[in-house]
């Protein structure tokens, strides 16, 4: 298998093809495709991923690729934020710490969203466990439906998702997260 031959650091890309009858910007959250796959591959091959990407489009096929990571330019975006948290990712405190640092943000315009999250974690953190609670905390950027529960952000709008990790032994229990978010239409127009 290709994973055995690919040099570190590893990247994974998953492109999801959805039927034309399935709404693209509702449900089918990209982190829900990645979360079961990445820990399983990591455990099975004994190697960590430093970068994980997913997209969703109306298409007849889906694909998965493993490759070596390479440095790219910071994508910037309407939102280029950095937050810090020290709480357990399984706690509400984790989500509150993130939400409180981005509370001034306004939801991006309707449509698809490109979101990248760069995590700096200590060696004891399992960074895939940070994905969902972090995204759930981004309601002020992603928006929320009227009457939605507090942590029910409109994450189905994310059509391009990049998740990246750097392990820093000095980080301890602190997690630093770089957030880059923009609407897809704006990025295509650049």
């Amino acid at each position: 298998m290709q994973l055995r031959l690919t040099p570190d650091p590893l990247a994974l890309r998953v492109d999801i093809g959805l039927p034309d009858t399935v709404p693209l910007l509702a449900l089918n959250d990209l982190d829900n495709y990645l979360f079961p796959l990445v820990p399983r591959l990591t455990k099975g091959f004994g190697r960590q991923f430093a970068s994980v990407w997913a997209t969703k489009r109306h298409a007849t096929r889906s694909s998965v690729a493993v490759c070596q990571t390479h440095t790219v330019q910071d994508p910037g975006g309407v939102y280029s934020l950095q937050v810090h948290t020290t709480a357990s990712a399984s706690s509400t405190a984790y989500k509150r710490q993130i939400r409180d640092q981005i509370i001034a943000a306004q939801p991006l315009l309707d449509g698809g969203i490109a979101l990248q999250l760069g995590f700096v974690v200590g060696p004891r953190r399992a960074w895939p466990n940070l994905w969902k609670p972090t995204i759930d905390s981004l309601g002020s950027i992603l928006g929320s439906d009227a009457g939605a529960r507090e942590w029910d952000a409109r994450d189905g709008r994310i059509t391009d998702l990049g998740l990246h990790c750097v392990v820093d032994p000095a980080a301890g229990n602190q997690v630093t997260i770089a957030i880059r978010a923009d609407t897809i239409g704006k990025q295509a127009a650049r």
Side-chain angles (χ1 to χ4, degrees):
M1 179 169 195
Q2 181 69 25
L3 185 58
R4 293 184 196 277
L5 303 174
T6 304
D8 286 330
L10 289 179
L12 176 73
R13 181 175 176 114
V14 178
D15 295 306
I16 306 299
L18 298 171
D20 290 338
T21 57
V22 174
L24 191 60
L25 303 180
L27 306 175
N28 299 300
D29 302 351
L30 291 173
D31 58 305
N32 293 339
Y33 289 97
L34 294 172
F35 183 76
L37 185 59
V38 170
R40 181 175 235 171
L41 289 174
T42 298
K43 183 179 180 184
F45 290 98
R47 296 178 62 195
Q48 297 288 325
F49 288 91
S51 186
V52 179
W53 298 81
T55 66
K56 63 179 178 178
R57 302 282 188 267
H58 286 128
T60 57
R61 296 175 47 184
S62 297
S63 64
V64 176
V66 174
C67 59
Q68 184 178 23
T69 61
H70 62 278
T71 304
V72 296
Q73 185 177 359
D74 185 328
V78 170
Y79 290 111
S80 292
L81 306 168
Q82 184 165 304
V83 299
H84 304 276
T85 180
T86 55
S88 166
S90 62
S91 71
T92 302
Y94 178 88
K95 295 176 185 179
R96 282 190 184 126
Q97 287 178 355
I98 295 169
R99 180 208 53 208
D100 292 350
Q101 293 174 70
I102 65 167
I103 198 77
Q106 296 295 311
L108 290 166
L109 297 176
D110 280 340
I113 292 176
L115 176 67
Q116 291 197 43
L117 300 173
F119 297 89
V120 177
V121 300
R124 296 184 316 159
R125 289 273 189 170
W127 77 288
N129 294 337
L130 304 174
W131 302 345
K132 183 165 183 48
T134 300
I135 294 170
D136 288 347
S137 305
L138 301 179
S140 59
I141 293 172
L142 302 175
S144 298
D145 291 323
R149 292 177 292 180
E150 183 174 15
W151 307 114
D152 195 9
R154 293 181 57 210
D155 51 344
R157 298 178 59 198
I158 302 168
T159 58
D160 293 75
L161 178 63
L163 303 166
H164 318 286
C165 183
V166 172
V167 176
D168 179 359
N173 289 327
Q174 180 169 308
V175 177
T176 301
I177 308 163
I179 302 166
R180 303 296 185 261
D182 209 343
T183 55
I184 296 295
K186 284 189 69 173
Q187 288 196 342
R190 285 187 188 160

